[in-house]
Amino acid sequence: DSGTFLGLGTVTGSVAIHIAFSLQRLYYVKEAHGIVVTDVAFVPESRPGWELLGGHEAALLSVAVDSRCKLHLLPTRRSLPVWLLLLLCAGLIVATIVLLQLAFPGFL
């Protein structure tokens, strides 16, 4: 719905969710259906869709020839804030300098 993800259903019944711009696979279920997946659709990011999404990033409905409909939920991805990453890098540099100074007195 937002163009962020790409949903895919295969002839073997597998279902996958990829990032649209890089095609990196985020979610995959081998043989989620017993036969050909005929349709996939993302749950809209609107008020009624939020109830199905819960705390998940996306939800994909898949339908197959076996007359079953399945809901696939993509868990929210976790990431480090940039400030925390910079803080960890600075700490690593300081720790390296201190260890070098202890190992080789007069290093600096």
Side-chain angles (χ1 to χ4, degrees), residues 35-83:
I35 197 163
V36 180
V37 175
T38 57
D39 195 16
V40 292
F42 282 98
V43 174
E45 296 176 359
S46 60
R47 188 166 302 278
W50 291 337
E51 293 176 11
L52 284 175
L53 281 174
H56 297 87
E57 195 165 357
L60 179 73
L61 290 168
S62 63
V63 180
V65 175
D66 60 3
S67 299
R68 291 189 312 184
C69 179
K70 291 192 175 184
L71 178 66
H72 305 273
L73 297 171
L74 180 65
T76 303
R77 294 173 285 165
R78 300 192 189 274
S79 62
L80 289 173
V82 174
W83 64 268

Side-chain angles (χ1 to χ4, degrees), residues 2 5 7-8 15-16 26 39 65 74-75 79-80 82 85 90 94 105 108:
S2 66
F5 301 110
L8 176 68
V15 176
L26 298 176
D39 195 16
V65 175
L74 180 65
S79 62
L80 289 173
V82 174
L85 184 62
V94 169
L108 291 177

